[in-house]
Amino acid sequence: HHFISSFQCVRMSLTKAKAEKSRVHAKQRRTEEAKEIAEIAELLPLPSHVTRKLDKASILRLAITFLRLKQYVGEGKNGYRVS
């Protein structure tokens, strides 16, 4: 039989509590990220039936591409904006 001291037992409980807290925070971060990415998807110049089928990485890639294209098209020679 293994003898577990009360100190070890408390330490194990604290470790489990920290792990659970970490999991909760990670889930909250993922939920918040998903909300933000969904908002980015809504801003893309694409129909919602298309953006709903995209994964997060694809939404971010399209948003980056759109922003780069807009920046490129929006600038004329010498970096002046074209109206």
Side-chain angles (χ1 to χ4, degrees):
H1 293 290
H2 291 277
F3 174 75
I4 298 177
S5 70
S6 59
F7 175 74
Q8 288 172 318
C9 191
V10 168
R11 202 166 111 208
M12 286 177 14
S13 292
L14 288 174
T15 301
K16 287 181 182 179
K18 279 178 100 174
E20 179 62 24
K21 187 176 180 181
S22 179
R23 278 192 294 276
V24 168
H25 285 284
K27 185 175 181 179
Q28 288 172 340
R29 271 193 307 279
R30 286 191 304 272
T31 299
E32 190 62 30
E33 287 171 358
K35 288 179 188 175
E36 297 297 332
I37 290 176
E39 188 172 344
I40 291 169
E42 289 176 16
L43 296 172
L44 289 173
L46 297 168
S48 61
H49 73 274
V50 172
T51 57
R52 275 194 305 263
K53 296 176 183 176
L54 299 173
D55 64 358
K56 292 175 186 179
S58 296
I59 291 168
L60 292 175
R61 276 194 298 273
L62 282 169
I64 290 166
T65 301
F66 174 72
L67 290 170
R68 285 182 177 152
L69 181 62
K70 185 174 170 109
Q71 182 181 23
Y72 177 77
V73 170
E75 293 179 6
K77 290 183 179 181
N78 301 322
Y80 292 105
R81 284 194 117 11
V82 176
S83 300

